[in-house]
């Protein structure tokens, strides 16, 4: 972790700091850093419900096939 100089107050701060702890100046992130995206609760919930629904449908189809073969 490297120390950089705050452009506002000149104090040395961590390069990973979101803002200067001395003066509160927000630090700009370089464009080369990847942005972390978090899926929203609604999207994750929808996908989970869709997966469970597909598993139930496949289980029912599997039971029907077994009943036809062995029934």
């Amino acid at each position: 972790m490297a120390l950089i100089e705050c452009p506002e107050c000149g104090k040395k701060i961590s390069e990973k700091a979101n803002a200067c702890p001395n003066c509160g100046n927000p630090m700009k992130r370089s464009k080369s850093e990847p942005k972390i995206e978090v899926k929203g609760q609604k999207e994750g919930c929808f996908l989970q419900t869709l997966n469970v629904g597909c598993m139930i449908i496949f289980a029912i189809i599997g039971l029907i096939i077994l009943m036809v073969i062995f029934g």
Side-chain angles (χ1 to χ4, degrees):
M1 174 173 62
L3 293 177
I4 58 172
E5 191 174 299
C6 173
E8 189 69 25
C9 67
K11 297 280 186 178
K12 296 284 185 184
I13 62 171
S14 168
E15 68 181 352
K16 295 183 180 186
N18 291 327
C20 176
N22 186 51
C23 68
N25 183 43
M27 303 303 292
K28 293 181 181 178
R29 296 286 180 175
S30 66
K31 293 183 180 181
S32 63
E33 290 183 21
K35 290 184 179 179
I36 299 173
E37 295 183 21
V38 178
K39 288 184 177 181
Q41 182 68 24
K42 288 184 178 181
E43 183 178 339
C45 185
F46 172 75
L47 292 177
Q48 186 176 13
T49 303
L50 184 64
N51 286 337
V52 170
C54 288
M55 288 191 310
I56 291 172
I57 291 171
F58 285 131
I60 292 171
I61 292 171
L63 286 174
I64 292 171
I65 291 172
L66 286 174
M67 288 172 38
V68 168
I69 292 174
F70 295 111

